């Protein structure tokens, strides 16, 4: 097989140096991403004797068109050079979302040749389904609560999502820092305490991952409210819940949320906000009409 990376003897580097720390962070990140993906997600046959959680190293190497020994060295934090093209191939093979891809390139000290690359889970068929669900608000979130895709009514459910920078489209950040979002929630203190407990429960499986640690640091720096709730060490499992929003365009909306997992949990999920009464359905239809009018 022709590979995208050539094998070269790895160099020695001082332990504890910044490059050494970066390589170990990169190795841990790659390993954690590899172990969360099932063979079926990437079109491989599981087999009866599989003991490795997720993908094997040789399978990632095959999917990325790199040498098995070279990829093994990468997960062993050896001092080897990694090109942006190889990182791009690894990001695609490991189904990294936009935030994870950005962190991969950051850890490797490389410039992403395609920084706007969409999450592999957001297929054209999924975008079509999001549109077909309208006027029911719906979005796709990952386990870190990044909003990866949404339909038009979700885009106006709690704030003007299109006005939010892509890197800031995270439910935790919006709930603690976006004034329009916070004004749409009837009991902000209760809601932020609840979602912080959900975030802590979700983070238990990702404590060493750079993307999660950076989000946590960003929340602690931006919100005293978050710091107070985080210090409670409360945890809540993910699940559906009845909610009431004060929408800036059409008034009160009473909805029931449902999470539909797009793969093994935890991972990306489709979140829908179904109306609980006829008045809410009519208001959601009016909200969609307003969005359509703004598009014309």
């Amino acid at each position: 097989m022709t590979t995208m990376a050539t094998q070269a003897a790895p160099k020695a580097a001082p332990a504890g140096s910044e490059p050494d720390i970066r390589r170990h962070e990169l190795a841990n990140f790659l390993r954690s991403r590899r172990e969360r993906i099932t063979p079926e997600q990437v079109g491989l046959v599981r087999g009866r004797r599989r003991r490795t959680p997720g993908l094997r190293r040789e399978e990632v190497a095959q999917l990325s068109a790199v040498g098995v020994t070279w990829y093994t060295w990468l997960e062993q934090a050896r001092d080897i050079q990694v090109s942006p093209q190889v990182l791009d191939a690894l990001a695609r093979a490991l189904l990294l979302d936009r935030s994870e891809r950005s962190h991969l390139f950051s850890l490797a000290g490389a410039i992403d040749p395609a920084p706007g690359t969409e999450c592999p889970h957001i297929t054209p068929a999924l975008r079509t389904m999001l549109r077909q669900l309208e006027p029911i608000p719906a979005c796709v979130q990952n386990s870190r609560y990044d909003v990866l895709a949404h339909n038009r009514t979700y885009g106006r459910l709690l704030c003007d999502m299109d006005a939010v920078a892509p890197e800031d489209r995270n439910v935790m950040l919006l709930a603690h820092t976006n004034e329009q979002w916070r004004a749409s929630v009837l009991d902000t203190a209760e809601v932020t305490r609840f979602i912080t407990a959900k975030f802590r429960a979700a983070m238990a499986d990702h404590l060493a991952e750079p993307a999660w640690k950076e989000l946590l640091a960003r929340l602690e720096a931006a919100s005293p409210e978050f710091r107070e709730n985080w210090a409670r060490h409360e945890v809540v499992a993910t699940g559906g819940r009845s909610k009431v929003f004060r929408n800036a365009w059409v008034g009160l909306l009473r909805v029931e949320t449902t999470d539909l997992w797009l793969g093994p949990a935890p991972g990306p999920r489709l979140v829908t906000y179904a109306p609980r009464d006829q008045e809410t359905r009519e208001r959601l239809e009016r909200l969609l009409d307003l969005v359509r009018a703004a598009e014309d």
Side-chain angles (χ1 to χ4, degrees), residues 45-97:
V45 178
R46 173 175 292 275
R48 296 182 177 180
R49 298 185 178 181
R50 178 177 293 271
R51 296 180 180 177
T52 303
L55 297 178
R56 300 186 179 101
R57 285 174 173 171
E58 57 265 30
E59 290 170 332
V60 175
Q62 176 188 352
L63 291 167
S64 307
V66 301
V68 177
T69 301
W70 183 89
Y71 180 75
T72 300
W73 283 346
L74 195 59
E75 279 203 11
Q76 291 175 344
R78 304 287 188 95
D79 187 4
I80 57 177
Q81 296 298 314
V82 191
S83 72
Q85 291 74 24
V86 169
L87 290 171
D88 176 70
L90 288 172
R92 294 177 186 277
L94 295 171
L95 305 181
L96 302 188
D97 63 34

Side-chain angles (χ1 to χ4, degrees), residues 126-147:
L126 183 53
R127 290 191 181 279
T128 298
M129 184 169 70
L130 286 171
R131 182 63 67 96
Q132 291 296 318
L133 283 170
E134 293 173 348
I136 293 176
C139 69
V140 177
Q141 297 178 15
N142 61 16
S143 56
R144 202 171 49 247
Y145 297 95
D146 295 321
V147 179

Side-chain angles (χ1 to χ4, degrees), residues 181-253:
W181 181 291
R182 291 169 63 83
S184 299
V185 178
L186 293 187
D187 191 339
T188 307
E190 179 185 354
V191 169
T192 53
R193 182 175 175 178
F194 179 79
I195 64 172
T196 300
K198 289 176 66 177
F199 181 68
R200 179 178 281 281
M203 192 170 179
D205 293 326
H206 307 275
L207 292 174
E209 295 178 25
W212 287 76
K213 291 191 291 186
E214 289 198 15
L215 176 58
L216 176 59
R218 188 175 177 187
L219 286 164
E220 289 180 322
S223 173
E225 181 183 26
F226 174 81
R227 294 197 298 271
E228 180 181 344
N229 287 330
W230 188 251
R232 297 175 183 271
H233 289 266
E234 295 173 333
V235 292
V236 176
T238 300
R241 192 177 183 219
S242 295
K243 298 180 180 180
V244 181
F245 300 128
R246 185 188 295 109
N247 184 266
W249 292 273
V250 296
L252 287 181
L253 298 172

